[in-house]
Amino acid sequence: MDKEKIQLKRIFGYCWGTSFLITNVIGAGIFVAPKGVLKYSCMNVGLSLCIWTVCALLSMMTTLCSAEIGITFPRSGAHYYFLKRCFSNLISFLNLWTSLFLGPGLAASQALLLAEYSIEPFYPSCSAPKLPKKCLALAVLWTVGILNSHGVKEVTWLQTASLVLKMAILGLISLSGVVLLVRGRKENVERFQNSFDTDFPEASEFIEAIFQGYFAFSGGGCFTYIAGELKKPRKTIPRCIFTALPLVTIIYLLVNISYLTVLTPREILSSDAVAITWTDRVIPSLTRVIPFGISASIFSNLLVNVPESSRVTYMAGQEGQLPLLFNMLNIHSSPFISVLVLVTMASIAIVSTNLTDLINYLYFVVFI
């Protein structure tokens, strides 16, 4: 009975799992990657759309591989437990050591990026000062940390609201593009006529284009973090994957088609924010709304990143590779110490560095 009291509760089913996966996959990538895919596709419109489809298939395969780990070892931090069980304590400890810095670094970068998108519209003619960005990033980070310390259910409604806003913006872009294309205006349709006639990229550029597109699909392995909190994970995880990823793929393709319907490939490559340029052209009155939509997208990713990263340290405490203190749950069934350590380390990163240096640091740790 005492052992049951310290276990994370299995309280989430199919609907929440599907929402969780979509939130993880759809981040800022879809607002950034279309430019990179088109650039490395040598502005070949048809090939760029094919690359998005290839990236979707790759994402499906890698997500199913992660799902197998979550189903075989249905516990939180399943990938860490898999390494410990199937390879050795040393391998799992090295992975844990990397995760201890990667999780807070990712949370800090998301909070800084959110603050940048939220504040930038108020400084249209110059760069926003650093102090308000850092203060807003810290405020958002600690708000998410406090909510997570009250249990995952406390952030479910907030995650759902952020996801609805994110999907509403992507849906608006998608449907507007479809309407413009169906109307059949010459300037909108001609970009898709003979779309494969331009030059094809070299092999290295083709790989770069896949990297750019795959970045927008990353996050599919999230179920290994929270498999211990899903009801009937053997059934729930595959159902969530086969619902969420096809839906995300359709949305991504429609968004890219919409961009290409309204903007020429050269206009997309010359834009630093394709979604904002698209809005300026189609619905100018909503130009200020899009940055906040991107902020909501990043905020929902931050909401799920904090519980994900804290589950790894919680499992490490349970397995004896971190102090037993990390294995403690509070009365809300939340690993409070793990959440507190993560948010504190992320706060130090926000105060002591900037977004560019932090991203370089993150990629360095990921490569390790």
Side-chain angles (χ1 to χ4, degrees), residues 309-367:
S309 301
S310 64
R311 273 18 176 209
V312 178
T313 52
Y314 164 78
M315 179 56 64
Q318 200 170 70
E319 294 295 317
Q321 290 195 337
L322 282 179
L324 190 61
L325 191 66
F326 285 87
N327 187 38
M328 292 177 59
L329 299 177
N330 62 14
I331 59 173
H332 304 290
S333 188
S334 171
F336 174 73
I337 299 299
S338 295
V339 173
L340 180 63
V341 169
L342 185 145
V343 172
T344 302
M345 291 177 66
S347 299
I348 294 171
I350 289 173
V351 172
S352 61
T353 189
N354 58 57
L355 183 59
T356 303
D357 292 340
L358 191 56
I359 290 173
N360 290 334
Y361 154 78
L362 283 175
Y363 273 101
F364 176 72
V365 175
V366 167
F367 282 130

Side-chain angles (χ1 to χ4, degrees), residues 28 38 121 166 215 220 223 227 237 242 248 255 323 338:
L38 199 59
K166 181 193 309 186
F215 168 68
F223 284 128
I237 292 176
F242 286 113
V248 170
V255 166
S338 295

Side-chain angles (χ1 to χ4, degrees), residues 7-18:
Q7 299 301 306
L8 291 167
K9 298 176 182 177
R10 295 188 181 277
I11 53 178
F12 298 117
Y14 165 74
C15 291
W16 185 86
T18 303

Side-chain angles (χ1 to χ4, degrees), residues 148-363:
N148 273 282
S149 69
H150 284 77
V152 183
K153 270 200 165 181
E154 293 295 321
V155 300
T156 300
W157 67 270
L158 205 51
Q159 174 195 324
T160 303
S162 299
L163 179 61
V164 168
L165 178 58
K166 181 193 309 186
M167 296 297 282
I169 290 175
L170 292 176
L172 176 65
I173 294 173
S174 302
L175 293 176
S176 299
V178 170
V179 170
L180 290 172
L181 199 59
V182 169
R183 283 181 178 177
R185 291 174 62 182
K186 184 179 178 181
E187 63 270 24
N188 294 331
V189 176
E190 64 184 7
R191 297 181 189 119
F192 296 96
Q193 294 174 345
N194 304 318
S195 56
F196 289 95
D197 283 356
T198 57
D199 294 336
F200 273 71
E202 297 178 0
S204 59
E205 292 177 315
F206 182 77
I207 292 171
E208 287 277 4
I210 290 178
F211 282 162
Q212 293 286 325
Y214 187 71
F215 168 68
F217 281 99
S218 60
C222 58
F223 284 128
T224 61
Y225 292 93
I226 50 95
E229 294 164 81
L230 289 173
K231 300 174 183 176
K232 301 178 181 178
R234 183 173 292 275
K235 293 182 179 180
T236 302
I237 292 176
R239 289 173 62 198
C240 292
I241 291 172
F242 286 113
T243 300
L245 287 187
L247 178 62
V248 170
T249 302
I250 292 170
I251 290 172
Y252 278 10
L253 287 173
L254 289 176
V255 166
N256 278 278
I257 290 171
S258 180
Y259 288 157
L260 291 165
T261 300
V262 175
L263 306 170
T264 66
R266 292 193 180 279
E267 286 175 331
I268 292 176
L269 292 187
S270 64
S271 172
D272 291 327
V274 181
I276 296 176
T277 305
W278 180 94
T279 310
D280 278 335
R281 187 72 56 84
V282 181
I283 317 173
S285 59
L286 294 181
T287 302
R288 286 184 172 269
V289 175
I290 295 298
F292 292 105
I294 298 174
S295 298
S297 177
I298 301 166
F299 182 65
S300 62
N301 290 117
L302 180 60
L303 276 174
V304 297
N305 177 55
V306 171
E308 281 180 3
S309 301
S310 64
R311 273 18 176 209
V312 178
T313 52
Y314 164 78
M315 179 56 64
Q318 200 170 70
E319 294 295 317
Q321 290 195 337
L322 282 179
L324 190 61
L325 191 66
F326 285 87
N327 187 38
M328 292 177 59
L329 299 177
N330 62 14
I331 59 173
H332 304 290
S333 188
S334 171
F336 174 73
I337 299 299
S338 295
V339 173
L340 180 63
V341 169
L342 185 145
V343 172
T344 302
M345 291 177 66
S347 299
I348 294 171
I350 289 173
V351 172
S352 61
T353 189
N354 58 57
L355 183 59
T356 303
D357 292 340
L358 191 56
I359 290 173
N360 290 334
Y361 154 78
L362 283 175
Y363 273 101

